[in-house]
Amino acid sequence: MANHFTVLGIETGCDDTAVALVHSNGPTQARIIAAHTLTQYQHAVYGGVVPEIAARAHLDALPPVLQALLAQHLQRVDAVAVTTGPGLIGGLIAGVSLAKGLATAWQVPLLAVNHLTAHALSVRIENDVAYPYLMLLTSGGHCQLLVVHAHDTLELLGTTRDDAPGEAFDKVAKLMGLPYPGGAALEALAKQGNAARFAFPRPNFGANSGDFSFSGLKTAVLRQWQALPQPVSQIDKADIAASFQAAVADCLVARTRYAMGVFCAQYPQAARVLGTAGGVASNQTIRAQLQALCAREGFAFVAPQPTLCTDNGAMIAYVGLEQLRNGATGSVHCAPYAR
Ligand code: KG4
Ligand code: ZN
């Protein structure tokens, strides 16, 4: 396939129905032509994503979201890329079914995309980042330190042993009665708080591990919350939020620093680049601290704009685009998987 082509990306793995058209401008460049994301706020009353509600909401949202995208951008689509997993199976089935239908009708390749690979490659969409690079993927379902060697080759340097940071943000936000999804609301509250007031735990598994743990932090916040005069005042809430966020940021920075050492030792020829993405990477405090770490350690810091950090269709289309550049022809047999 020539270097100029357009890929439609479809993402339905969690609570965002997202589609995007990404155009390949040459052997390495890409441009987002259009993108639409519809976040399912139906889950707010439950304080977490309800799988069946998510699946039905994707089914409802996909046609109008796709229509809005294609109505304005009538160029030929050369391939359809879709998230096949990991994620919530009902939503994935909705997205994959639509993708199969479109690819069949348009007679173009159908490309299966792994959700985590898509987050890991998202730093390349709008930035010139060469393989291999170091990546911190931090979202509602995952926390991983990776070396990204190629569009289909990721090396794991560390992961969470229990909760993901976004999950911890959401649970702490729920405890404090903040609206779902809690990450952004908790960040806003933390801006008014004192991050040094509560000393929450920052677990680490020794000098030779890039692993994370966030469940102890969540429990420590709960205990502190219960120990405060009830109902908890606005000042106490803000201090909890700020102290919690500081603990998450410290854990991410410390483990990323460890991974930088491994990356430099194992790949001395590689450019020193740290990418970060996933919903939690849209947090301004966390971004600023990672950026400061990069400045100290001599790494370039690349973080996509917040709409490309949370789940989006462009990152799915981009992986499809990379697959095509590497000779993929697609398959109609791609099947969704939860894990
Ligand atoms: O990447 P994402 O959209 O979905 C997953 O693949 O998980 O990440 C969603 C997660 C949620 O847990 C949400 O609370 C968190 O990212 N999040 C944030 C912020 N914005 C979203 N966490 C902290 N600060 C934020 N500003
Ligand atoms: Zn995600």
Side-chain angles (χ1 to χ4, degrees):
M1 188 174 282
N3 281 324
H4 292 263
F5 50 86
T6 301
V7 180
L8 168 68
I10 301 174
E11 158 64 42
T12 56
C14 191
D15 58 349
D16 293 301
T17 309
V19 296
L21 287 171
V22 175
H23 184 74
S24 174
N25 284 340
T28 56
Q29 292 101 325
R31 183 171 60 87
I32 299 171
I33 298 171
H36 286 282
T37 299
L38 207 124
T39 300
Q40 303 173 355
Y41 292 102
Q42 294 92 318
H43 306 288
V45 286
Y46 305 99
V49 181
V50 182
E52 186 175 338
I53 292 175
R56 291 177 185 277
H58 284 302
L59 213 49
D60 287 344
L62 276 168
V65 167
L66 184 67
Q67 230 161 20
L69 187 82
L70 298 181
Q72 297 161 338
H73 303 277
L74 289 169
Q75 64 260 64
R76 183 190 146 77
V77 171
D78 298 292
V80 180
V82 63
T83 307
T84 47
L88 298 172
I89 198 70
L92 292 170
I93 290 173
V96 171
S97 303
L98 174 66
K100 282 193 181 189
L102 291 172
T104 307
W106 293 340
Q107 296 187 302
V108 298
L110 174 67
L111 304 162
V113 173
N114 177 287
H115 184 83
L116 300 178
T117 303
H119 275 304
L121 263 59
S122 64
V123 297
R124 284 171 52 95
I125 302 176
E126 296 186 319
N127 298 279
D128 201 3
V129 179
Y131 301 117
Y133 57 92
L134 186 63
M135 183 73 203
L136 170 67
L137 196 169
T138 171
S139 73
H142 302 276
C143 190
Q144 298 188 338
L145 279 160
L146 302 158
V147 180
V148 184
H149 290 282
H151 77 283
D152 58 354
T153 313
L154 309 182
E155 176 188 353
L156 188 67
L157 297 185
T159 187
T160 180
R161 297 192 179 183
D162 41 59
D163 294 350
E167 198 177 345
F169 264 94
D170 292 338
K171 283 178 181 159
V172 169
K174 186 178 177 186
L175 171 75
M176 301 206 290
L178 297 174
Y180 175 87
L186 201 145
E187 178 180 13
L189 182 62
K191 285 200 171 79
Q192 301 145 35
N194 172 8
R197 175 157 166 212
F198 301 111
F200 291 132
R202 285 138 167 90
N204 100 51
F205 300 102
N208 295 317
S209 171
D211 283 356
F212 303 87
S213 164
F214 294 101
S215 77
L217 170 58
K218 188 187 64 191
T219 311
V221 171
L222 173 64
R223 290 222 182 88
Q224 183 59 62
W225 178 267
Q226 288 166 340
L228 287 165
Q230 306 287 326
V232 177
S233 72
Q234 199 57 26
I235 291 172
D236 287 350
K237 272 190 193 176
D239 289 349
I240 290 239
S243 302
F244 161 79
Q245 182 175 268
V248 174
D250 280 355
C251 293
L252 295 175
V253 165
R255 300 295 86 197
T256 303
R257 188 162 175 270
Y258 157 81
M260 284 173 161
V262 175
F263 182 79
C264 292
Q266 289 188 1
Y267 308 103
Q269 309 297 333
R272 297 183 174 189
V273 176
L274 171 72
T276 188
V280 179
S282 61
N283 182 290
Q284 296 300 327
T285 300
I286 290 170
R287 282 165 92 101
Q289 295 200 16
L290 288 170
Q291 188 156 23
L293 169 72
C294 283
R296 288 196 299 274
E297 302 292 325
F299 271 65
F301 179 63
V302 183
Q305 50 172 298
T307 53
L308 288 178
C309 281
T310 48
D311 289 348
N312 64 88
M315 67 179 188
I316 308 304
Y318 181 77
V319 178
L321 193 143
E322 284 281 85
Q323 291 179 4
L324 290 179
R325 283 171 173 163
N326 287 278
T329 52
S331 163
V332 286
H333 298 297
C334 73
Y337 52 92
R339 291 192 166 270

